[in-house]
Amino acid sequence: MAETVQYRLERMIPELEEFERKGLFNKVEIRSIIKKRTNFEYAIARRIVKKIDFLRYIEYEMNLDMLRKKRKAQLANEDDDKSRVTEYAIKQRINGLFKRALVKFNGDVSLWMQYVDYAKRSQANNVLSGIFVSALQHHPRKAELWILASSWEFEDNANPSAARVLMQRGLRLNADKEDLWHEYFRLELLYIEKIKLRRRILGVDEQSLEQQRKEEEERAMDVDESDENTIRLPTITGEDVENWNEESSERKTVKKMEASAAEALKEGVNPILNGLLAKIVYDNAIEAIPNDLDFRTKFVDIYRMFSDSEEGINHVYETIQRDMQSNPIARSYLAQRHLFSKVKQSSENDTSRYIGTGEPAFIPAIKACVEDFNQAVQEVPTSKMFELYTEFLLGQHNFTFEENLKLYLSKVLQRAFKLARKMDVSSPVLSKNHVDSLLEYDEEKAKSVVTKAVEQYPDSSDLWNKRILLCGSDDDSEEKLFQEALKKCPESIDLWDFYMTSLDNRWNTAVAMGNQEDAAETLDKLYMHAAEQVTMLLPSLSTGPDDRSQIKDLVLCSYVDWAKKAKGIIGARVAYKKIIQNLYPTYGFYQKCLSIEKEENDNNSVEYLYEMATRLTNHKEEIYQMYISYLREQKKFKKADHVLWKASKEVPNFQLDN
């Protein structure tokens, strides 16, 4: 190992001598460079080498090269030549370090990416192609490497043919990679866009040629016969025309070939310029990945970034209609396509956007969407299809401000719900949408609908929320509904949050009416009953432990918050001590109580809460860390040492954070 390191250090001598001769570094700095490089070389020459050692060495060399460039710019030596040792020695060493690192860690994709990034920044194009070849040999299943290599060939190396070949090879090995298909599709569209741009610059596109033809005709017609310099052409007779018509067959053939060549160059006729290659890529993509709607819609999004893409977008829509006719989400996507339009902004480009509600084209677009949705619910009469239809109508109804349009959408909504009932299609989401559609116009009917829906779907927390909201201002009936709802849906955090908010609103109303004493006693019982409910019911639920803890945290913390607001810090302490003694507190509950006590600067209460919190089986290490840190902040070092000893007994491999 020592001989190898010494050999590598000796190869640095010409470079270091050149640094000193040019005044880029002095003798002290060169000694420091030698020392650093020696340490790094020994680190990466070990039997068990670490990737971080290579990265630190590479980072040091990059920083050294940056410093060299800055000092060189300050010196501005006239005799400097880029071919000399100082210009390429450090870069060569960095490339060598990357290669040595990748020999050891060729399975690390991030290291390959860093090497590619450095080669790009240093403009080492001759090295990059070799890097990509090696990277793809080691990681042929990594789509990001194929995309990166193809992007470099197309954008930086100006070689679209090589970029296309790379994409095709990548897809042979990774036909299931969606990103690879999308990027190959984008590549073909970019290639066409570049050709069109070049044609516009050269003035050989259809629009430029048409404009040139018109200008020539205008110039031909605009002849001043009185001008002396004007040359009068001889008059053409009928005999001359007959002679011209009797041209040789060879001349006619040449003219036909010229006409066909000119016709082929037109953008509207040339299939390549019309996006034929992109269509072929898309067709192959959906053959490889057939039943993924999101995969197909991404092609539409890519199409919309380019000009003259309506034909390609319609082709995607046709394939979705053909292959996913019974998919409600696909039918919904196709129905809403009418709201998206391309707007011509200039002679060179156009942009895609959704039609605004104030535009004249919005109403016809909405009607087209409704027609497609009506056809979809007839052909796919499922609850999901009706849900998507009504959600679309509700969204448009809430988004628009034009009264006639809102009325039209409301009528269409009611027809949709009537059709669903006729087809005997229902679901909790559809019932909720029905209630939402009635709230603005007929609250009594909405109340009737939600009452029936709750009886039909008692496990839907969303319907219970609507039912409680429409019950009126009677606290007793509202409390009765809440208890029934929580009994049916004890796992719904939204319902528990709604209940806690309702209790807090009752307290605010009591304060406003000056009825705090009676309300405080009632609400204290309700909060405690809710805390007992979540403690008793939640362990038997099928929800995960995180969801249970979240619901319990919400209820217990809400109780303590209310107790502090209603009865002050003494009331909060009574509440949390009652919970600690009778129930099973959570880590989040203890955090809430500690934050309250720390605001009050009561050290005894804080220490009491930490002692109680250490009884928890989970988060024990975090609690001990915070407890010891708190005691040290309070200068209670003896007690902190005792707690540290206790933590080391209860927590395996406990280590105190600095």
Side-chain angles (χ1 to χ4, degrees):
M1 182 176 75
E3 292 81 359
T4 304
V5 171
Q6 188 64 29
Y7 169 72
R8 295 188 183 279
L9 292 172
E10 286 175 359
R11 293 185 64 187
M12 302 175 192
I13 292 173
E15 166 197 350
L16 298 173
E17 288 177 345
E18 192 75 8
F19 285 156
E20 186 179 1
R21 185 185 69 79
K22 289 190 173 183
L24 296 171
F25 299 100
N26 57 37
K27 289 185 177 181
V28 176
E29 289 172 330
I30 287 174
R31 286 197 199 97
S32 175
I33 292 170
I34 294 170
K35 185 177 179 181
K36 278 278 188 183
R37 286 180 173 176
T38 303
N39 293 337
F40 282 128
E41 287 290 345
Y42 274 109
I44 64 176
R46 290 181 296 193
R47 187 182 296 275
I48 303 175
V49 66
K50 298 179 181 178
K51 187 179 77 168
I52 190 65
D53 293 328
F54 280 105
L55 294 178
R56 285 171 181 162
Y57 195 179
I58 291 167
E59 184 183 12
Y60 172 76
E61 292 293 340
M62 287 181 179
N63 293 334
L64 186 65
D65 194 39
M66 288 175 61
L67 180 60
R68 179 195 64 79
K69 288 178 182 177
K70 288 180 180 179
R71 291 190 177 179
K72 177 190 168 186
Q74 291 173 357
L75 293 172
N77 293 331
E78 294 182 359
D79 63 337
D80 193 24
D81 186 4
K82 286 191 176 182
S83 63
R84 297 203 176 182
V85 175
T86 54
E87 281 295 328
Y88 61 82
I90 296 179
K91 292 180 182 178
Q92 195 174 21
R93 178 170 294 101
I94 293 172
N95 283 325
L97 287 170
F98 269 117
K99 288 178 181 178
R100 291 163 66 187
L102 288 166
V103 169
K104 296 282 186 180
F105 306 99
N106 52 41
D108 193 326
V109 178
S110 63
L111 192 58
W112 285 105
M113 293 290 193
Q114 290 178 30
Y115 191 15
V116 169
D117 182 59
Y118 169 74
K120 281 185 175 181
R121 284 188 283 108
S122 59
Q123 298 179 348
N125 292 335
N126 55 337
V127 177
L128 263 169
S129 57
I131 298 172
F132 282 125
V133 168
S134 300
L136 293 171
Q137 284 176 346
H138 286 95
H139 300 282
R141 293 285 293 168
K142 296 294 180 181
E144 58 268 28
L145 285 174
W146 289 103
I147 293 169
L148 194 63
S150 178
S151 173
W152 175 77
E153 286 287 359
F154 185 80
E155 296 174 3
D156 300 327
N157 209 30
N159 192 346
S161 299
R164 185 180 288 114
V165 168
L166 278 169
M167 280 294 187
Q168 290 169 353
R169 287 177 180 173
L171 285 168
R172 284 195 202 103
L173 298 171
N174 306 280
D176 58 334
K177 301 290 185 181
E178 296 183 5
D179 290 344
L180 208 52
W181 283 109
H182 289 147
E183 291 304 320
Y184 184 27
F185 182 75
R186 194 196 308 272
L187 171 73
E188 294 295 352
L189 290 176
L190 276 170
Y191 178 63
I192 296 167
E193 201 73 13
K194 281 194 171 186
I195 293 175
K196 289 180 180 178
L197 180 61
R198 185 176 298 171
R199 287 167 63 89
R200 281 197 293 269
I201 293 171
L202 295 174
V204 295
D205 61 314
E206 288 184 14
Q207 188 175 357
S208 301
L209 291 173
E210 182 66 21
Q211 187 175 356
Q212 289 175 14
R213 188 182 63 79
K214 288 180 180 179
E215 290 175 357
E216 287 175 1
E217 289 179 357
E218 289 174 0
R219 283 198 299 269
M221 296 296 294
D222 189 16
V223 177
D224 187 2
E225 295 185 359
S226 62
D227 191 355
E228 296 178 355
N229 297 322
T230 302
I231 300 174
R232 294 179 178 275
L233 296 175
T235 305
I236 301 173
T237 64
E239 187 179 352
D240 295 331
V241 173
E242 289 179 4
N243 292 334
W244 291 345
N245 289 335
E246 294 175 359
E247 291 178 316
S248 64
S249 59
E250 183 180 351
R251 178 61 183 164
K252 289 181 179 179
T253 305
V254 170
K255 280 189 174 182
K256 285 182 181 179
M257 291 176 65
E258 288 176 351
S260 62
E263 188 72 16
L265 285 173
K266 291 182 180 179
E267 290 182 14
V269 177
N270 192 317
I272 303 299
L273 295 178
N274 279 338
L276 176 63
L277 294 178
K279 283 184 184 177
I280 293 171
V281 172
Y282 171 75
D283 290 337
N284 290 333
I286 62 174
E287 187 178 345
I289 306 174
N291 299 316
D292 192 334
L293 177 63
D294 292 336
F295 177 62
R296 298 193 186 196
T297 58
K298 180 68 175 175
F299 286 101
V300 176
D301 296 338
I302 296 170
Y303 258 133
R304 285 171 178 163
M305 299 175 186
F306 299 92
S307 61
D308 303 326
S309 58
E310 289 83 359
E311 185 180 346
I313 291 173
N314 290 333
H315 176 65
V316 177
Y317 289 150
E318 288 169 6
T319 59
I320 294 174
Q321 178 75 27
R322 180 193 68 202
D323 301 336
M324 303 182 179
Q325 196 167 4
S326 60
N327 185 338
I329 300 174
R331 297 301 295 269
S332 174
Y333 176 79
L334 290 173
Q336 295 180 56
R337 74 185 186 276
H338 302 289
L339 291 176
F340 201 93
S341 69
K342 282 214 166 190
V343 180
K344 202 79 175 176
Q345 290 195 337
S346 66
S347 60
E348 293 190 359
N349 60 2
D350 47 16
T351 58
S352 301
R353 61 172 177 80
Y354 282 98
I355 303 172
T357 54
E359 296 181 32
F362 183 72
I363 293 177
I366 281 287
K367 289 182 177 179
C369 293
V370 169
E371 288 178 8
D372 281 7
F373 266 117
N374 285 333
Q375 183 180 356
V377 295
Q378 292 288 345
E379 295 176 359
V380 189
T382 62
S383 59
K384 183 65 177 177
M385 190 71 253
F386 275 99
E387 288 168 15
L388 293 169
Y389 184 17
T390 54
E391 283 172 3
F392 166 75
L393 292 172
L394 278 171
Q396 296 300 324
H397 180 272
N398 297 332
F399 187 68
T400 188
F401 297 99
E402 209 276 318
E403 289 299 325
N404 291 330
L405 184 57
K406 287 176 76 74
L407 186 61
Y408 166 75
L409 291 169
S410 179
K411 288 181 178 179
V412 173
L413 265 167
Q414 299 315 313
R415 285 202 299 267
F417 291 121
K418 187 177 180 180
L419 181 63
R421 288 195 299 273
K422 185 178 179 181
M423 292 183 170
D424 196 22
V425 176
S426 66
S427 71
V429 176
L430 193 59
S431 300
K432 174 182 169 295
N433 292 344
H434 193 186
V435 174
D436 288 337
S437 70
L438 294 168
L439 285 175
E440 188 175 346
Y441 301 101
D442 193 344
E443 192 170 316
E444 287 300 320
K445 188 174 180 181
K447 191 184 295 185
S448 172
V449 170
V450 77
T451 302
K452 293 178 182 177
V454 163
E455 292 174 0
Q456 187 178 2
Y457 303 104
D459 296 334
S460 173
S461 60
D462 290 333
L463 288 174
W464 278 111
N465 281 339
K466 297 292 181 185
R467 175 74 180 89
I468 294 165
L469 278 171
L470 293 168
C471 74
S473 57
D474 187 358
D475 289 348
D476 292 335
S477 60
E478 185 182 85
E479 180 62 31
K480 185 178 179 182
L481 283 173
F482 265 121
Q483 293 303 323
E484 187 178 355
L486 292 170
K487 186 177 179 181
K488 298 288 186 182
C489 310
E491 75 284 359
S492 173
I493 188 168
D494 292 333
L495 196 56
W496 281 106
D497 186 36
F498 186 25
Y499 184 40
M500 294 297 105
T501 304
S502 173
L503 293 179
D504 190 56
N505 290 337
R506 283 195 224 176
W507 171 251
N508 294 333
T509 304
V511 171
M513 297 177 64
N515 190 23
Q516 295 97 316
E517 292 184 6
D518 294 338
E521 184 179 354
T522 303
L523 288 173
D524 188 271
K525 290 179 181 178
L526 291 175
Y527 271 114
M528 192 62 192
H529 178 65
E532 291 171 350
Q533 274 185 295
V534 294
T535 303
M536 294 169 62
L537 293 175
L538 290 176
S540 62
L541 297 178
S542 59
T543 55
D546 293 337
D547 296 331
R548 298 177 199 167
S549 297
Q550 196 175 0
I551 295 171
K552 197 169 183 181
D553 285 344
L554 172 67
V555 174
L556 299 184
C557 292
S558 298
Y559 184 17
V560 175
D561 271 337
W562 172 82
K564 185 175 185 294
K565 183 165 64 172
K567 304 176 184 179
I569 188 62
I570 296 175
R573 285 170 183 162
V574 170
Y576 73 63
K577 286 180 180 177
K578 194 191 305 183
I579 291 172
I580 291 171
Q581 291 170 5
N582 299 311
L583 306 175
Y584 298 94
T586 61
Y587 177 63
F589 166 78
Y590 278 116
Q591 283 184 310
K592 182 67 179 178
C593 296
L594 284 165
S595 66
I596 292 172
E597 290 294 0
K598 285 179 180 178
E599 288 177 3
E600 298 293 328
N601 292 321
D602 190 326
N603 297 336
N604 292 332
S605 297
V606 171
E607 291 177 22
Y608 165 76
L609 286 169
Y610 272 125
E611 288 291 343
M612 295 295 104
T614 56
R615 298 180 181 181
L616 294 174
T617 55
N618 55 349
H619 302 285
K620 192 179 284 288
E621 184 173 357
E622 297 171 39
I623 294 166
Y624 272 120
Q625 294 278 5
M626 291 188 294
Y627 191 11
I628 294 166
S629 298
Y630 174 77
L631 290 172
R632 289 183 174 179
E633 288 173 5
Q634 301 300 318
K635 311 298 183 185
K636 297 183 178 181
F637 298 108
K638 188 173 181 180
K639 188 168 185 178
D641 291 340
H642 174 72
V643 174
L644 178 59
W645 173 83
K646 185 179 175 184
S648 63
K649 295 292 184 183
E650 295 184 11
V651 181
N653 303 320
F654 179 80
Q655 290 184 348
L656 189 64
D657 294 337
N658 294 328

